[in-house]
């Protein structure tokens, strides 16, 4: 029998204002990673958020947390 997939953990509770502060950082990460303009990166962040059914601020938190996890040894 194949075990059921484990759902991804929810991001840590981040106050809404702090999450909004991460949108520019997440946009910059996408700009750097994919060689996008600011407008293209923000649209990509919005698209990812829409696909996952979350706000761009929540998607920004997820993106920044993922990058921080990758940076930890």
């Amino acid at each position: 029998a194949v075990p059921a997939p484990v759902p991804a953990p929810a991001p840590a509770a981040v106050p809404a204002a702090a999450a909004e502060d991460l949108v520019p950082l997440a946009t910059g990460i996408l700009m750097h990673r994919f060689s996008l303009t600011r407008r293209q990166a923000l649209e990509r962040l919005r698209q990812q958020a829409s696909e996952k059914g979350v706000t761009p601020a929540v998607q920004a938190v997820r993106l920044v947390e993922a990058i921080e996890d990758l940076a930890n040894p």
Side-chain angles (χ1 to χ4, degrees):
V2 176
V6 177
V14 176
E20 286 295 328
D21 289 345
L22 291 179
V23 170
L25 179 59
T27 301
I29 290 168
L30 292 172
M31 289 172 66
H32 177 74
R33 174 66 178 90
F34 297 106
S35 300
L36 301 173
T37 65
R38 184 176 306 132
R39 179 172 284 141
Q40 290 170 326
L42 186 54
E43 181 55 36
R44 186 171 189 143
L45 181 67
R46 289 177 178 151
Q47 182 64 36
Q48 289 174 343
S50 176
E51 289 171 0
K52 295 180 182 349
V54 298
T55 66
V58 169
Q59 185 60 25
V61 170
R62 291 177 175 181
L63 179 66
V64 171
E65 287 180 348
I67 294 298
E68 288 175 344
D69 284 346
L70 289 173
N72 288 330

